[in-house]
Amino acid sequence: MSTILVWKEQLQNIYAKHSKIIMWAMQFIVGLFVFGFINTNVGFIKQYATMPYTIALAAVCTFLPLTIMVLCASILILIHLYALSLPLMAVTFAIFMLMYIFYFRFTPNMSWLVLLTPIGFALKVPFVIPVAFGLMGLPIGVIPVVFGTIIFYMLNFIKMNASTYKGGEGHEIIESIMIYLHQIMTNKEMWVMVTAMGISLVVVYAIHRSSVAHSWKLASAFGAATAVIIGTAGNIGLNTKIPYISMVLGGIAAILVGLLLEIIFFAVDYAQTETLQFEDDEYYYYVKAIPKLGVAVPKVSVKHINERKEVEEDEEDIVDSLEEKNLEEKATMVIEADEVSKLLEDNIEE
């Protein structure tokens, strides 16, 4: 454990020195995942769905606020849908506007959640998102998590039914749009996952804020279990087809991420817990104090291999300086002797 804490301190020192570069690198990686996911699922304009365009978009958004990356991702989706079907693009635009009205009203500073939630689904570990941001964020984070979940299922549905929207007569297009809206609004799997993600985040937040011992571990475990149970209940009660193995593995990954976050942000020593009581004129106060775990980072000592050589050189310099000083003293004595003898001769002559 002490080794892990030493690594933690070293990483914190590195982050403190290079925080801006690290944040740019992380934002660039998020951009690669987001734009790559969009181009893979709805890349109907082939020349824009290539890796150079993905890298270029990610590079540009690296130095801009995350809200701009959300807007760029939405615009890219609409551009691809325009190539597939103009009415489909219009309907998707209306859905985006409805979501963003609530998003910009309540959670304008949680853009990363809207971006990371579809990435979590794409990587088959969606339950990591509510567990991680239930520990690190606020319950209001449910809104961007829900929006990110809906966006993922919308894009997945369009990808699976793209051939339905290509070409067709006017009445066929209208019929396909109605089917699209109906499928989005009545997608049982999507709503089960929306419920699982939202409730899991709230459960994690409520438990990790309590004063019970090992609250972060309990929050991670109960949050992941809540999401898996809701997903299982949806499979049984609503006949959805969420893979059980994927849910279990996602729950395990969420617990591991929660433990990692606890080590980084909430390393405490529960064995040294103290309960304090004090009062003032109006209240009695009961306080639980838990000391943080911390270790001193070992300092690196540098040993000079040529230390003996340097000492010898210093000794030689000292000897040389002493010899020069002796020579100067002898010269001074000779000069003084000459002066004395000269004075004696002058006196004798007088």
Side-chain angles (χ1 to χ4, degrees):
M1 185 65 180
S2 60
T3 303
I4 296 175
L5 292 175
V6 170
W7 291 348
K8 168 192 169 184
E9 294 293 333
Q10 291 174 343
L11 290 174
Q12 287 179 340
N13 292 334
I14 293 172
Y15 179 79
K17 294 178 181 178
H18 310 286
S19 59
K20 185 173 291 186
I21 296 174
I22 293 172
M23 291 303 298
W24 283 343
M26 293 175 63
Q27 194 162 328
F28 177 72
I29 293 172
V30 170
L32 285 180
F33 273 104
V34 169
F35 297 121
F37 171 74
I38 293 171
N39 289 331
T40 301
N41 286 269
V42 292
F44 301 114
I45 303 178
K46 298 301 180 183
Q47 60 267 32
Y48 294 157
T50 58
M51 183 56 67
Y53 278 98
T54 301
I55 295 174
L57 280 172
V60 170
C61 293
T62 296
F63 306 101
L64 299 174
L66 283 173
T67 304
I68 303 300
M69 186 181 291
V70 174
L71 294 176
C72 289
S74 303
I75 293 171
L76 182 62
I77 292 171
L78 294 175
I79 290 173
H80 283 304
L81 293 183
Y82 175 77
L84 178 66
S85 171
L86 181 59
L88 182 64
M89 185 206 75
V91 173
T92 305
F93 175 77
I95 295 174
F96 280 175
M97 289 301 297
L98 183 63
M99 289 193 298
Y100 288 148
I101 287 172
F102 291 95
Y103 163 71
F104 286 114
R105 173 64 178 84
F106 296 105
T107 56
N109 297 322
M110 293 187 177
S111 305
W112 28 269
L113 265 179
V114 178
L115 297 170
L116 292 179
T117 302
I119 294 175
F121 276 97
L123 297 177
K124 308 297 183 184
V125 287
F127 299 150
V128 168
I129 303 301
V131 170
F133 293 100
L135 293 173
M136 303 302 299
L138 297 172
I140 198 67
V142 169
I143 294 175
V145 166
V146 168
F147 288 169
T149 304
I150 293 174
I151 290 171
F152 170 79
Y153 278 95
M154 283 175 56
L155 298 183
N156 188 60
F157 178 79
I158 293 172
K159 177 183 177 181
M160 299 298 294
N161 300 274
S163 59
T164 307
Y165 304 104
K166 290 182 179 179
E169 301 296 334
H171 67 280
E172 293 178 353
I173 295 175
I174 295 174
E175 184 179 353
S176 63
I177 295 302
M178 296 303 296
I179 293 173
Y180 170 65
L181 287 174
H182 181 266
Q183 290 291 336
I184 293 298
M185 295 297 108
T186 61
N187 189 333
K188 295 179 181 179
E189 181 177 331
M190 182 186 75
W191 293 116
V192 168
M193 291 304 295
V194 164
T195 305
M197 300 281 282
I199 294 178
S200 175
L201 191 150
V202 173
V203 168
V204 171
Y205 178 82
I207 295 177
H208 103 278
R209 294 289 294 176
S210 64
S211 61
V212 298
H214 305 285
S215 58
W216 281 51
K217 294 183 180 68
L218 294 174
S220 301
F222 277 97
T226 299
V228 173
I229 290 171
I230 293 175
T232 303
N235 281 350
I236 296 173
L238 299 176
N239 197 28
T240 57
K241 297 180 180 180
I242 306 172
Y244 288 104
I245 296 177
S246 177
M247 285 194 294
V248 173
L249 293 178
I252 294 173
I255 294 173
L256 294 177
V257 170
L259 295 176
L260 178 62
L261 291 175
E262 180 182 6
I263 292 173
I264 297 174
F265 298 103
F266 195 74
V268 296
D269 185 5
Y270 285 102
Q272 304 297 326
T273 301
E274 296 181 9
T275 302
L276 308 176
Q277 175 185 347
F278 54 94
E279 62 179 284
D280 59 15
D281 294 337
E282 297 181 357
Y283 296 96
Y284 284 96
Y285 301 91
Y286 297 88
V287 179
K288 178 184 286 188
I290 307 173
K292 294 180 179 180
L293 284 174
V295 292
V297 178
K299 294 183 179 180
V300 179
S301 59
V302 179
K303 183 177 181 180
H304 296 284
I305 299 175
N306 57 347
E307 183 177 359
R308 177 66 180 174
K309 183 178 179 181
E310 292 178 355
V311 171
E312 292 177 353
E313 291 177 353
D314 292 340
E315 291 177 351
E316 290 177 358
D317 293 339
I318 293 172
V319 171
D320 292 340
S321 63
L322 289 174
E323 290 178 353
E324 291 177 358
K325 186 176 181 182
N326 290 333
L327 291 173
E328 290 176 356
E329 290 178 352
K330 289 179 180 179
T332 303
M333 292 175 65
V334 171
I335 294 171
E336 290 177 351
D338 292 340
E339 291 178 351
V340 169
S341 60
K342 185 177 181 181
L343 288 172
L344 289 174
E345 291 175 356
D346 293 341
N347 290 329
I348 292 171
E349 290 177 357
E350 292 176 356

